[in-house]
């Protein structure tokens, strides 16, 4: 896998995994503090989503695919090393798509949390 175009569809795999992003309900006592919107979404994505598990699945996919590609590769047989998937320019894009999916899910979860908070405050004012 030296300097040829990468035959892996890593971006496609990441998009498939991104469609599996799940974000748990945010606890009512969640405190976003003084964080900016994007920072809050990042915090939610890290703490309440399955992004980390899906990223591990993407890394496993890459490891298996690279092993299959380099098995019997002319460069491996000659003692040279194949180009690592870690340096593939599409890897960054794949990881970005997966993270963006986590942020999108986090935004929806945060909006639901904000709506629940507003309903709770309104119910407390009416009481």
């Amino acid at each position: 896998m030296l300097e040829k175009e990468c035959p892996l569809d890593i971006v496609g795999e990441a998009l498939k995994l991104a469609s599996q992003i799940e974000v748990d309900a945010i606890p009512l006592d969640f405190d976003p503090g003084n964080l900016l919107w994007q920072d809050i979404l990042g915090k939610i994505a890290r703490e309440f989503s399955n992004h980390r598990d899906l990223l591990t699945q993407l890394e496993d996919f890459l490891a298996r695919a690279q092993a299959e590609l380099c098995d019997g590769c002319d460069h491996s047989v000659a003692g040279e090393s194949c180009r690592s998937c870690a340096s593939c320019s599409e890897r960054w894009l794949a990881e970005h798509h997966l993270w963006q999916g986590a942020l999108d899910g986090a935004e929806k979860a945060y909006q639901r949390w904000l709506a629940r908070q507003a309903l709770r405050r309104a119910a407390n004012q009416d009481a």
Side-chain angles (χ1 to χ4, degrees), residues 34-83:
N34 293 345
L35 297 175
L36 299 173
W37 183 264
Q38 279 303 110
D39 296 333
I40 293 169
L41 298 184
K43 180 180 175 82
I44 293 168
R46 280 187 300 280
E47 293 181 16
F48 302 111
S49 81
N50 61 342
H51 172 264
R52 185 170 308 194
D53 296 334
L54 295 174
L55 183 59
T56 299
Q57 288 181 33
L58 181 64
E59 290 168 354
D60 291 346
F61 167 81
L62 281 172
R64 284 190 313 274
Q66 183 172 4
E68 289 174 17
L69 284 173
C70 290
D71 187 34
C73 171
D74 293 340
H75 300 286
S76 294
V77 172
E80 302 170 15
S81 62
C82 287
R83 184 182 69 173

Side-chain angles (χ1 to χ4, degrees), residues 20-41:
Q20 299 172 31
I21 290 283
E22 296 175 2
V23 181
D24 296 333
I26 302 168
L28 290 176
D29 64 346
F30 174 74
D31 182 12
N34 293 345
L35 297 175
L36 299 173
W37 183 264
Q38 279 303 110
D39 296 333
I40 293 169
L41 298 184

Side-chain angles (χ1 to χ4, degrees), residues 3 5 10 22 27 32 38 54 57 62 68 78 85 89 106-107 114-115 120:
E3 289 302 321
E5 186 175 312
I10 183 176
E22 296 175 2
Q38 279 303 110
L54 295 174
Q57 288 181 33
L62 281 172
E68 289 174 17
C85 287
S89 61
E107 183 168 25
L114 289 170
R120 280 185 54 217

Side-chain angles (χ1 to χ4, degrees), residues 1-2 10-12 20 30 45 48 58 61 65 68 78 87-88 100 108 113 119 122 125 127:
M1 215 175 90
L2 209 58
I10 183 176
V11 174
Q20 299 172 31
F30 174 74
F48 302 111
L58 181 64
F61 167 81
E68 289 174 17
S87 64
C88 176
Q100 191 60 51
K108 290 174 187 168
W113 181 85
L119 289 172
Q125 287 179 349

